[in-house]
Amino acid sequence: MFTETGKIYLYKALLHYKVKELVTVTFLKIGYIGTTTLVEALLDERSSRTDLKMRVVSSGVNMDEAEAETVSRIATAIESDLYVVITPNAALAGPKKAREVLKETGKPIIAISDEPSRKAMRNLPEEGIGYIVIYGDPMIGAVTSFLDPVEMAIFNGDVLKVLSVTGVLRLIQQELDRVIDEIKEGKKPTLPEIVIDKATALGASNILNPYAYGKAMAAFEMARQVASLTTEGVFKTEDRDETIQKVTAAHELIRQAAKLADEAREIEKSNDSVVRIVHFKSGDRRKKVGLYEKY
Amino acid sequence: MFTETGKIYLYKALLHYKVKELVTVTFLKIGYIGTTTLVEALLDERSSRTDLKMRVVSSGVNMDEAEAETVSRIATAIESDLYVVITPNAALAGPKKAREVLKETGKPIIAISDEPSRKAMRNLPEEGIGYIVIYGDPMIGAVTSFLDPVEMAIFNGDVLKVLSVTGVLRLIQQELDRVIDEIKEGKKPTLPEIVIDKATALGASNILNPYAYGKAMAAFEMARQVASLTTEGVFKTEDRDETIQKVTAAHELIRQAAKLADEAREIEKSNDSVVRIVHFKSGDRRKKVGLYEKY
Amino acid sequence: MFTETGKIYLYKALLHYKVKELVTVTFLKIGYIGTTTLVEALLDERSSRTDLKMRVVSSGVNMDEAEAETVSRIATAIESDLYVVITPNAALAGPKKAREVLKETGKPIIAISDEPSRKAMRNLPEEGIGYIVIYGDPMIGAVTSFLDPVEMAIFNGDVLKVLSVTGVLRLIQQELDRVIDEIKEGKKPTLPEIVIDKATALGASNILNPYAYGKAMAAFEMARQVASLTTEGVFKTEDRDETIQKVTAAHELIRQAAKLADEAREIEKSNDSVVRIVHFKSGDRRKKVGLYEKY
Amino acid sequence: MFTETGKIYLYKALLHYKVKELVTVTFLKIGYIGTTTLVEALLDERSSRTDLKMRVVSSGVNMDEAEAETVSRIATAIESDLYVVITPNAALAGPKKAREVLKETGKPIIAISDEPSRKAMRNLPEEGIGYIVIYGDPMIGAVTSFLDPVEMAIFNGDVLKVLSVTGVLRLIQQELDRVIDEIKEGKKPTLPEIVIDKATALGASNILNPYAYGKAMAAFEMARQVASLTTEGVFKTEDRDETIQKVTAAHELIRQAAKLADEAREIEKSNDSVVRIVHFKSGDRRKKVGLYEKY
Amino acid sequence: MFTETGKIYLYKALLHYKVKELVTVTFLKIGYIGTTTLVEALLDERSSRTDLKMRVVSSGVNMDEAEAETVSRIATAIESDLYVVITPNAALAGPKKAREVLKETGKPIIAISDEPSRKAMRNLPEEGIGYIVIYGDPMIGAVTSFLDPVEMAIFNGDVLKVLSVTGVLRLIQQELDRVIDEIKEGKKPTLPEIVIDKATALGASNILNPYAYGKAMAAFEMARQVASLTTEGVFKTEDRDETIQKVTAAHELIRQAAKLADEAREIEKSNDSVVRIVHFKSGDRRKKVGLYEKY
Amino acid sequence: MFTETGKIYLYKALLHYKVKELVTVTFLKIGYIGTTTLVEALLDERSSRTDLKMRVVSSGVNMDEAEAETVSRIATAIESDLYVVITPNAALAGPKKAREVLKETGKPIIAISDEPSRKAMRNLPEEGIGYIVIYGDPMIGAVTSFLDPVEMAIFNGDVLKVLSVTGVLRLIQQELDRVIDEIKEGKKPTLPEIVIDKATALGASNILNPYAYGKAMAAFEMARQVASLTTEGVFKTEDRDETIQKVTAAHELIRQAAKLADEAREIEKSNDSVVRIVHFKSGDRRKKVGLYEKY
């Protein structure tokens, strides 16, 4: 996305005539995965863009079909150039209904979901919907005997660290930005069809040190393993104490993954090689490495 | 909120006849503080409640007055029993406009915001609006030379850890739950008028070990100090390199605060004294301490 | 294995007349898994037993069929009451040959191997051979571009930490001890048919604190994930750099697993609840918890 | 051992005509020091060498003279080009007897042992035996009240980390490889006469960063201090509780030494300056630094 | 203070004729701040200077006016070229009296104190007294219910780490050295008028990596926050338990600050960029960066 | 020193008539060991005692005989009930001269010094002088190529942590307090004749958890090992680079020792079993364990 020559990186879209000065993106959130918490903020981290208007509509944690439909209707009432629908398991009835409702608008739609969605998602392009499947954004240990609001928030904090450092959030941001750029250029956007596995994620992580890269990849895989443990604990374990053991292990695992992701970033910091790619007012992205460097 | 006698803690509302079977709460989010990311999820961490319907409407990161008005209108169009509006600095024009629009509904409103709001918020009760001011949910280091989407997400992950462990999120959840309980009982709810400083936060943290308590309090104060550094860096520093130094220091500080909060929780874990208070289907909360304990 | 009443735990075998005063166990090692490094030492950690004679014969790292046969022949030449053959992947030709040769002695045989062996191992009881399959003793990142002797030794150090704390080594020791006890009693021993997965391992770990238990279980699962990464890197990846990334990630993962296992044990230490089960001269095992406690 | 010019390091032995295509080395292990666990694996970390056949024979933990003699006889029955006998305290009767038996073969012998052996070992060259004395491979806290199989394995895991990072294992590997090279060349090998103290060890560690070097040296000295504490605790302390305190301190010390060694290696990783020296099929060793570099 | 050209840095004073061969500096210590513990040692870390004689006189922890006067009289009885008076809160009666007594000698005086002194100190130049106000050398949690000698010493250890790494001690040393140089040159010395805030401190820290710089700056600000907490706890809190909570939090905060300072230095070590500036026999300072580098 | 029955611990001296209401102790400091930095503060950590007047006189880092004599003369000019002289290596000419001068006063003298003093100190009682020899207060790495003021201060911070947690400072304080008590009672005080080795130190540490005790003991021994390395590096090594390696290792070792001491204290904190023994106004000491407990 960047030409690597010269100190200043200008996104090529700048060279084109922009058909659209202001793009409206509406995010529809049904239930929660880690990425849900701040997906729209990824597109305008300092709230400076003048080319982008964002709306978010959500049913909170509820994923029922009826709920999904209601909030989808609110979303479709907001005139938008692009819809992004983010949900856990996109194969469930709620998320499915949401996509159906959104499709009525005829606007481009991108569905973002987690690993259990991978089969269902692969069929979306046939319906004209793009998708991003995120491996490494694991289900929480959702059992009464373990999960309370505080535990839930801590888990999400850890997930955010892993998703940030390992390149997941960067990749999502870049794909959404690319689509928005294409809309601004008046093109019919090419919608993403991406499965973010360890290779794709890390490829977007901009981590330079090879050991930091290894640490981040391990953290990513740990996050996937978290999902195995919570899925097993929540859906496949009858004994109450065993359930507690497995979800406890899962939350310890994500905490440890966050620490490993942090280790990876600390190495990059120690080499002053943390790559930063920021949004400018116009929506352009620019990149720098050294912290005191200019874009 | 709990009578401490007996093993089972039943919220007293259970003893009352419930006038309302289903309460709808609409969250209006204008811009971002850390708590914004998952405030509604605090009320139903496992998505099991049958007494509560939640809606979220947001303008994303944008806090302009016009934007605030637009999304507030969407929110008012959703019939709700309670509105919760969460924004940075509640004294700004955007948040102010949002409250004005919401007031037209005549429904109870609770404003949640960060420390710079404290003066403006203290006057809200005169307008019939409740408030929760959160010290310790600090402004991010929002300068082009430093903040990109990845850095932004990492920051929020760290903030979540601090807010979770130090009792901030628990207190917000408990206040919102109390108001919802009162609405369910058919009462005119007493709206919160709370400033969450270190004493109030920690008072809700349920931390038992006194050193863990000290660590959590220190983490809370560190989070406040973060705001001093980002405010200074973003608004009061002209030199570009000095700005970078201050916001970098601020983000290192929140990372360290998160680590200290984590230390506090690890101590509670090592003593198996982590208090869990979960939501049941009915919206009741129950509490336990030992991990294998029953509610 | 212990009656939990009273301060002194005496193994019940003590009450029986011992037919055999001295049992000889010969360990045949073909190639290396983590457990290989000190499996026999588990049975007599202070070199004090007078009831047990141990012999070890090994082909070193080599697992070829011919090599396996040669060293197996040496082993069979040592008159033994029990043979323990420990190898990676028990389905390979070398380990298979080793078992065939040992079977000629007519003596009880126990095969110990890692997760890829699980299918092959399940058929061993038909041949009269007992087995212990260890999930969580993962293959090393055996590629030229990454693995040198130093990296290899570090990996094994980390594996040992995980195997120790999570109960794997304890369980192996207990099973071997049980069989030896039965031989001493003149019985035909019941050979183990055990797959050490997270539940079986942790069940033998004697970890009391539930969060430490969760940490240890997470560490165990991380060790299994290591095997996924090394298997993928070594056998299923063509690109040299990708191979390096995966095996590097795997070794970072085992390092992190070792750290998490260490965290678990530190919690037990902080509560002075580390369980110790030692071998006495007679081969009996006794157990204590508090460090200054007596057996 | 490497010429430092050029990217490819070829061991000079390659230039010679090899008299012997296949060398057999037999390792005789009597009792346990940390190095015992994987000493032979150091010579062929990926099990790829075609020039080397290895045999291991061991009496397990037992060091009695009679036991030593029996297993030595098994070892001498294996036709070998080189014998390596590794034991704790080489001055004891068992190890002594083992050397006597091996000498009957007329083959080159190398004795490897720990610090208490240093006096006895210095006389071995008179008998035509080479030696490697390892400072920093400390005695374990072998008292009933403390040491059980789990504690024993953890200790060995920590010892391995220290020996790996500080250069000890590298030096042993290089010396054994040199002798094997000479045997392959048809020479009468020059047997090592080496005391691995902090200077010799670190000299082989290939650590580049001077602070990492300091950390590793400190870790090495800590490992030696461990031996002081265990020796004092096991042999010179009468009071049971004082004994427990000293051996507990010793095991805490080795754990801390392992952490410091790990810190040293992490610094090298952060600079991508970890030196790797691998064995190729032919037995040659090649060296590289950057992880993605080629040999 | 150093010309950056060439490998050898010679302080310019060397080029001048020295009027005074031996300077006597007397340190008067009334009560304790962190810097008090080794302020004079900063000027001659290896006890090698031949140009400097130092005397210390102190009333220990006592800051009463009478005590201050007595020890000040002892100090004035020591013929000195420079007096350095170091105390907590320079505005109190004791420190004030000390300065009055010292002024009778007509010799140059430098007062060193902590943040609460900043107002009082700014007036000292009118009296001909120089000053150094140290932000980040915080008051201890001096309440009976918390502070004992061990806690006090730990606190000071942590404070020393923060003051060392963040540049505070370096700056004090450089200023005192500059004044001594001027006295040696026969000049009337320009006395310092310095407030060591985060910018001034870090400016003297010689930290090169920008993230390490951020960590150190955060550590400095944490140390200031410690003072807020102890001041509040000791002087403004009536409830005993709340007092304990605040001072406990303060001491946890300084511990965490010390850890962050340590992280900063570890990064510099990993890059071999720790700057060292040593005193030579003559009192000259020389600087180097790489550890094996020469001055 | 405390009767363990009852919640309130009153020092028995309280029951006696006090002959002396105010005791004056003069500390004479010649050169620096770690304990030097705050030895007098140990006796009155909150500056509240009304029964004790303290004076400190010091020659700073200089230990020359002439310097020692001069400052000793200043000390003798201060009428004192007790002299405490603290120096490195008490066998050197400077410290020796200091004792000679102090002896002229006829007052009780206690000499405090480090491990190299142990021989010289054992003869002091013959001269009527008491002594405290501190193992574990190690010499710094005092070579030009390594030690600058910042490194020196960091080292002392680490040493303070080790001395505090391991019981060294507690023991010194208790001994000095005991002697002061006896002086107050009008008795001829029994002067201490103590060598603080690991057993004596830890015995005064009040650490309850046995693993924390082990960690602290290990930290103490590490501090002694630091002295071995600095002594070797400074006095017995000719090569400049080897000297740097050894003193660098020594400073890494004390840093690691401080971390281990910190781990020990954290365990005590996690169990709320940190023992606090504070000085009251009257000079009495009282003890408590739980943080919220009363004395």
Side-chain angles (χ1 to χ4, degrees), chain B:
Chain B
M1 190 159 294
F2 298 97
T3 50
E4 297 285 337
T5 23
K7 269 253 153 177
I8 303 301
Y9 300 82
L10 285 172
Y11 189 70
K12 64 171 187 283
L14 282 176
L15 309 172
H16 292 70
Y17 171 77
K18 274 190 210 100
V19 173
K20 241 186 129 61
E21 290 298 325
L22 183 62
V23 174
T24 302
V25 182
T26 294
F27 291 83
L28 176 60
K29 303 179 174 181
I30 315 281
Y32 255 91
I33 58 174
T35 308
T36 307
T37 53
L38 40 64
V39 62
E40 73 276 17
L42 296 174
L43 300 183
D44 191 10
E45 66 279 3
R46 286 171 306 104
S47 187
S48 68
R49 292 179 73 163
T50 55
D51 66 327
L52 185 64
K53 189 177 282 195
M54 293 191 280
R55 298 284 174 267
V56 183
V57 179
S58 163
S59 59
V61 298
N62 199 314
M63 296 184 67
D64 291 348
E65 194 173 351
E67 282 289 281
E69 178 160 15
T70 312
V71 291
S72 302
R73 295 279 167 220
I74 301 174
T76 57
I78 301 169
E79 200 167 343
S80 308
D81 301 297
L82 172 68
Y83 286 99
V84 178
V85 54
I86 181 162
T87 68
N89 197 343
L92 296 179
K96 213 170 158 183
K97 172 60 74 181
R99 291 193 301 272
E100 278 168 26
V101 174
L102 290 178
K103 274 170 66 179
E104 295 169 15
T105 63
K107 296 291 182 182
I109 302 167
I110 299 169
I112 302 180
S113 193
D114 53 11
E115 189 164 352
S117 315
R118 66 187 179 286
K119 273 192 195 166
M121 296 282 257
R122 285 203 176 112
N123 302 322
L124 293 188
E126 293 171 19
E127 309 176 41
I129 297 177
Y131 67 84
I132 299 175
V133 177
I134 312 168
Y135 290 13
D137 191 337
M139 190 177 80
I140 204 166
V143 293
T144 325
S145 48
F146 179 70
L147 195 74
D148 78 344
V150 170
E151 185 75 42
M152 180 272 294
I154 291 172
F155 182 86
N156 276 289
D158 284 333
V159 168
L160 279 181
K161 265 230 158 140
V162 176
L163 297 176
S164 309
V165 173
T166 58
V168 174
L169 298 185
R170 172 79 72 207
L171 186 50
I172 294 170
Q173 166 243 310
Q174 284 177 332
E175 280 301 306
L176 296 184
D177 269 332
R178 181 188 53 73
V179 170
I180 292 165
D181 283 339
E182 291 174 10
I183 292 171
K184 280 162 68 179
E185 294 168 35
K187 293 186 191 163
K188 183 172 182 322
T190 308
L191 297 177
E193 303 177 11
I194 296 181
V195 172
I196 307 188
D197 61 9
K198 63 178 176 303
T200 354
L202 268 291
S205 72
N206 294 109
I207 294 175
L208 294 185
N209 177 281
Y211 296 97
Y213 199 96
K215 284 175 198 289
M217 185 179 278
F220 186 92
E221 288 300 277
M222 288 164 77
R224 285 187 65 199
Q225 189 84 346
V226 168
S228 306
L229 277 164
T230 52
T231 307
E232 186 182 333
V234 175
F235 300 123
K236 301 175 195 161
T237 310
E238 287 192 20
D239 183 79
R240 182 182 166 279
D241 284 5
E242 281 180 27
T243 299
I244 293 178
Q245 289 163 1
K246 286 170 190 170
V247 296
T248 303
H251 282 225
E252 290 297 333
L253 191 47
I254 195 68
R255 174 174 171 271
Q256 204 69 3
K259 285 164 79 172
L260 192 49
D262 182 78
E263 260 190 39
R265 193 162 174 93
E266 288 298 302
I267 288 179
E268 294 295 287
K269 286 185 193 170
S270 78
N271 293 325
D272 193 14
S273 63
V274 174
V275 169
R276 294 173 190 276
I277 304 175
V278 306
H279 289 94
F280 279 70
K281 220 176 159 179
S282 61
D284 301 339
R285 280 81 65 203
R286 294 192 194 170
K287 178 183 173 183
K288 71 169 184 179
V289 184
L291 184 54
Y292 291 133
E293 216 177 81
K294 297 226 164 83
Y295 291 98

Side-chain angles (χ1 to χ4, degrees), chain D residues 206-222:
Chain D
N206 294 110
I207 295 175
L208 294 186
N209 177 281
Y211 296 97
Y213 198 96
K215 285 175 198 290
M217 185 180 278
F220 185 93
E221 288 300 277
M222 287 163 78

Side-chain angles (χ1 to χ4, degrees), chain A:
Chain A
M1 190 160 291
F2 297 97
T3 49
E4 297 286 335
T5 22
K7 271 253 154 178
I8 304 299
Y9 300 82
L10 285 172
Y11 189 69
K12 64 173 188 280
L14 280 177
L15 309 171
H16 292 70
Y17 172 78
K18 275 191 211 96
V19 173
K20 239 184 132 60
E21 289 298 325
L22 183 61
V23 174
T24 301
V25 182
T26 294
F27 291 82
L28 176 59
K29 303 179 174 182
I30 314 283
Y32 256 91
I33 58 174
T35 308
T36 307
T37 53
L38 40 65
V39 61
E40 73 275 17
L42 296 174
L43 300 183
D44 191 9
E45 66 278 4
R46 285 173 306 105
S47 187
S48 68
R49 292 178 73 164
T50 56
D51 67 326
L52 185 63
K53 189 178 285 196
M54 293 190 280
R55 298 284 174 266
V56 183
V57 180
S58 163
S59 59
V61 297
N62 199 315
M63 296 183 68
D64 291 349
E65 195 173 350
E67 282 288 282
E69 180 160 13
T70 312
V71 292
S72 303
R73 294 281 167 220
I74 302 174
T76 58
I78 301 168
E79 201 167 344
S80 309
D81 301 297
L82 173 67
Y83 286 99
V84 178
V85 54
I86 181 163
T87 69
N89 196 344
L92 297 179
K96 214 170 158 183
K97 172 59 74 182
R99 291 193 301 273
E100 279 168 26
V101 175
L102 290 178
K103 274 170 67 180
E104 295 170 14
T105 64
K107 298 292 182 180
I109 303 167
I110 298 169
I112 301 179
S113 194
D114 53 12
E115 189 163 353
S117 316
R118 66 186 179 286
K119 273 192 194 165
M121 296 283 257
R122 285 203 175 110
N123 302 321
L124 293 188
E126 293 171 18
E127 308 178 40
I129 298 176
Y131 68 83
I132 298 175
V133 176
I134 312 168
Y135 289 14
D137 190 337
M139 189 177 80
I140 204 166
V143 293
T144 326
S145 47
F146 179 70
L147 195 73
D148 78 343
V150 169
E151 185 74 44
M152 181 272 296
I154 291 173
F155 182 86
N156 277 290
D158 285 331
V159 168
L160 280 180
K161 267 231 156 136
V162 176
L163 297 176
S164 310
V165 173
T166 59
V168 174
L169 298 185
R170 173 79 73 208
L171 186 50
I172 294 171
Q173 166 243 310
Q174 284 177 334
E175 280 301 306
L176 296 183
D177 269 333
R178 182 188 52 74
V179 170
I180 292 165
D181 283 339
E182 291 174 11
I183 292 172
K184 280 163 67 179
E185 293 169 34
K187 295 186 190 163
K188 184 173 183 317
T190 309
L191 297 178
E193 302 178 10
I194 295 181
V195 173
I196 306 187
D197 61 8
K198 63 177 176 302
T200 354
L202 268 292
S205 73
N206 293 111
I207 295 175
L208 295 186
N209 177 281
Y211 296 97
Y213 198 97
K215 285 175 198 289
M217 185 179 279
F220 185 93
E221 289 300 276
M222 287 164 77
R224 284 187 65 199
Q225 189 84 348
V226 168
S228 306
L229 277 164
T230 51
T231 306
E232 186 182 333
V234 175
F235 301 123
K236 301 173 195 163
T237 311
E238 287 191 21
D239 184 79
R240 181 181 166 279
D241 284 4
E242 281 180 28
T243 299
I244 292 178
Q245 289 163 2
K246 286 169 191 170
V247 296
T248 303
H251 283 225
E252 290 298 331
L253 192 47
I254 195 67
R255 174 174 171 271
Q256 203 70 1
K259 284 163 79 171
L260 193 49
D262 182 77
E263 260 189 37
R265 192 162 173 94
E266 288 298 303
I267 289 179
E268 294 296 287
K269 286 186 194 169
S270 78
N271 293 326
D272 194 15
S273 64
V274 174
V275 169
R276 294 172 191 276
I277 304 175
V278 307
H279 289 94
F280 279 70
K281 220 175 159 178
S282 61
D284 301 339
R285 280 81 65 203
R286 295 193 192 168
K287 179 183 173 181
K288 71 169 185 179
V289 184
L291 184 55
Y292 292 133
E293 217 177 79
K294 296 229 164 79
Y295 292 98

Side-chain angles (χ1 to χ4, degrees), chain C residues 53-88:
Chain C
K53 189 178 282 196
M54 294 191 279
R55 298 284 175 266
V56 183
V57 179
S58 163
S59 60
V61 296
N62 199 314
M63 295 182 68
D64 291 349
E65 196 173 348
E67 282 289 281
E69 180 160 13
T70 313
V71 292
S72 303
R73 294 279 167 221
I74 302 175
T76 57
I78 301 169
E79 200 168 344
S80 307
D81 301 296
L82 173 68
Y83 285 99
V84 178
V85 55
I86 181 162
T87 70

Side-chain angles (χ1 to χ4, degrees), chain E residues 174-188:
Chain E
Q174 283 176 334
E175 280 301 306
L176 297 184
D177 268 333
R178 182 189 52 74
V179 170
I180 293 165
D181 283 338
E182 290 174 11
I183 292 171
K184 281 162 67 179
E185 292 167 37
K187 292 186 192 164
K188 183 174 184 316

Side-chain angles (χ1 to χ4, degrees), chain C residues 233 236-243:
Chain C
K236 302 174 193 163
T237 311
E238 287 193 19
D239 183 79
R240 181 181 166 280
D241 284 5
E242 281 180 28
T243 299

